[in-house]
Amino acid sequence: AVLGFLAALYHLLNHAFFKGLLFLGAGAVITQTGTHDLNQMGGLSRRMPWTALTFLVGALAVTAIPPLNGFVSEWFTYQALLNASGTNLFALQVLAPLFAVLLALAGGFAVMAYVKAYGGAFTGPAHSQDAAMAHETSVPALIGMFYLALGTIALGLGAPWIAPHIAAVAADFANLPLIAV
């Protein structure tokens, strides 16, 4: 229970960072190109290199690529599900492995979606005049994206120091003994 709650809290914190980063990056791209259509974008990494870099960090994190924060919380989630499958409760013995498989399937779909999103917007040639004329977003927007990208990296690399604190909160909330993470 504590491990599952730790996974949920860590994932909640991670989503605040990488989803915020992805939304800011998408907003910058839409503002500069004037379109929501990925087929009208392309080539933006040359025109918006900092936005491309920070969006890539967010895309790698949301797809749970190590050592970023999305990997850490999904790892805890897998551990919690696999530990739950070893209990005496029949429902957990059946459902926990099923949920682990569904999480893996969702991860595969996330990889496909973000490869398409990043590739469509930032790689290849510009597919419209607006994309060819785009330029880097504003400095305040870049500062926000860099802050979130650094947080995304720190929550991944800093997991050995951060996770025990979140585990303490989870154990205290569940009124259970603290576990080693």
Side-chain angles (χ1 to χ4, degrees):
V2 173
L3 186 57
F5 197 39
L6 161 66
L9 289 174
Y10 214 101
H11 209 60
L12 178 73
L13 181 61
N14 290 342
H15 268 265
F17 278 85
F18 62 63
K19 286 286 179 83
L21 174 57
L22 291 168
F23 277 118
L24 283 175
V29 166
I30 291 167
T31 299
Q32 293 304 314
T33 61
T35 184
H36 295 239
D37 187 359
L38 280 174
N39 295 323
Q40 296 300 311
M41 296 178 189
L44 294 177
S45 64
R46 288 184 290 285
R47 298 223 161 254
M48 303 174 73
W50 297 114
T51 300
L53 177 64
T54 57
F55 192 91
L56 180 61
V57 169
L60 292 173
V62 77
T63 57
I65 302 298
L68 299 173
N69 63 350
F71 172 78
V72 174
S73 56
E74 285 205 19
W75 178 254
F76 286 139
T77 303
Y78 281 119
Q79 286 182 339
L81 289 169
L82 295 177
N83 283 339
S85 69
T87 65
N88 292 331
L89 296 172
F90 178 73
L92 286 178
Q93 290 174 343
V94 173
L95 294 176
L98 176 64
F99 289 148
V101 169
L102 291 174
L103 181 61
L105 186 61
F109 287 136
V111 168
M112 290 188 304
Y114 282 97
V115 165
K116 168 73 173 156
Y118 188 84
F122 294 105
T123 64
H127 297 134
S128 69
Q129 186 63 27
D130 289 331
M133 301 307 293
H135 55 84
E136 192 59 83
T137 192
S138 68
V139 172
L142 284 174
I143 290 170
M145 288 189 283
F146 276 117
Y147 168 75
L148 292 171
L150 288 174
T152 296
I153 294 166
L155 284 166
L157 294 176
W161 300 278
I162 297 167
H165 296 290
I166 297 175
V169 170
D172 188 45
F173 183 79
N175 200 23
L176 292 169
L178 183 62
I179 60 169
V181 293

